[in-house]
Amino acid sequence: MKKRSVLIAGHPTSVSLEEEFWEALKGVAQARGSSVNALIEEIDQTRAGNLSSAIRVFVLNAVRGQA
């Protein structure tokens, strides 16, 4: 697991994700024509709990074809 710094609404924060989730997140962002930061901002706006967990659930749903 690696901690990465990202910007959300212009404010720096960090997320801890396994490399597999990070790579999948980058793939989803690329498929949408978006940046990883922009996608994380989108996830952040709809999350109810921890950001890292919300990203993992988003990636899982994307892989399942639900995002």
Side-chain angles (χ1 to χ4, degrees):
M1 188 171 316
K2 185 174 180 181
K3 187 175 275 194
R4 291 179 171 85
S5 295
V6 295
L7 286 176
I8 298 177
H11 301 287
T13 190
S14 61
V15 293
S16 296
L17 290 175
E18 295 79 4
E19 190 64 30
E20 294 84 357
F21 280 103
W22 187 257
E23 291 301 318
L25 182 66
K26 289 193 315 188
V28 172
Q30 184 178 25
R32 291 177 164 209
S34 178
S35 69
V36 172
N37 271 346
L39 186 54
I40 290 174
E41 281 190 39
E42 180 183 325
I43 295 166
D44 181 59
Q45 292 173 2
T46 61
R47 73 182 168 107
N50 176 281
L51 180 57
S52 295
S53 295
I55 292 170
R56 287 185 192 93
V57 171
F58 177 87
V59 167
L60 177 62
N61 287 334
V63 169
R64 289 179 171 172
Q66 299 172 0

